[in-house]
Amino acid sequence: MSFPVKVKNVNIGINDASRGEIAEGLSRLLADTYSLYLKTHNFHWNVTGPMFQTLHLMFETQYTELALAVDLIAERIRALGYPAPGTYSEYAKLSSIPETPGVPKAKEMIQLLVEGQETLVRTARSIFPLVDAVNDEPSADLLTQRMQVHEKTAWMLRSLLEE
């Protein structure tokens, strides 16, 4: 995906081509984050069973954190001089997190959210070589923070699946 539009005269010490590649990677991270936000919010609304209260509150905490992350990622893309994707169709093309049809049981919801959190870690990690190569410390900091959050959340969700 190559961005057709960019802000002119961005001179932050990173060349245009590198900024474009990083913006593309961050756009994938944005799409994955928004997709996981939607999935988590859906599960918050529709979870049932003996762990309802615990999962309902946990999922709310998680989707709230994801909503804040979406803004941070989009703003970093803008700071690099590119438009942030913001439509369902763009996210569908960019995201590696599949939609979940229907309403799964609570345990399956947890497993699907673990997979989503781990996907976000892998997406963030895949962008690191690009930002490292051009000393893009703000993007590296954002990616590090996102990986920490998603690794911890995946661990907490996995803990619920243990017998």
Side-chain angles (χ1 to χ4, degrees):
M1 174 184 154
S2 193
F3 289 110
V5 178
K6 68 177 179 179
V7 175
K8 294 182 180 185
N9 301 322
V10 175
N11 185 8
I12 59 173
I14 303 171
N15 66 54
D16 287 348
S18 294
R19 283 187 298 104
E21 288 178 30
I22 294 167
E24 286 180 31
L26 290 175
S27 293
R28 289 192 318 275
L29 182 65
L30 178 61
D32 281 352
T33 302
Y34 199 84
S35 297
L36 187 58
Y37 162 81
L38 286 174
K39 183 176 290 203
T40 306
H41 210 154
N42 175 25
F43 292 172
H44 163 79
W45 290 327
N46 291 300
V47 69
T48 59
M51 292 186 59
F52 167 79
Q53 186 66 18
T54 300
L55 294 177
H56 185 74
L57 292 174
M58 178 184 262
F59 295 166
E60 181 175 12
T61 299
Q62 291 172 4
Y63 78 68
T64 300
E65 195 285 326
L66 289 162
L68 296 172
V70 163
D71 200 48
L72 294 172
I73 298 163
E75 288 175 355
R76 183 63 195 150
I77 294 167
R78 295 296 298 140
L80 290 168
Y82 289 86
T87 66
Y88 291 122
S89 61
E90 289 173 301
Y91 291 155
K93 290 176 192 170
L94 291 166
S95 182
S96 53
I97 295 178
E99 288 186 358
T100 301
V103 179
K105 299 286 185 193
K107 192 169 185 175
E108 185 182 352
M109 287 179 178
I110 296 166
Q111 181 59 46
L112 289 166
L113 293 179
V114 167
E115 292 167 10
Q117 294 287 338
E118 290 176 342
T119 297
L120 277 167
V121 173
R122 290 189 305 273
T123 300
R125 196 175 307 282
S126 73
I127 305 164
F128 242 97
L130 299 172
V131 302
D132 265 354
V134 294
N135 300 317
D136 181 0
E137 288 85 358
S139 293
D141 184 52
L142 175 65
L143 293 170
T144 299
Q145 290 177 34
R146 299 312 315 147
M147 287 188 295
Q148 287 174 335
V149 167
H150 298 303
E151 286 177 0
K152 182 176 181 179
T153 303
W155 155 62
M156 290 180 168
L157 287 164
R158 273 192 307 272
S159 295
L160 293 170
L161 297 172
E162 292 180 7
E163 296 296 322

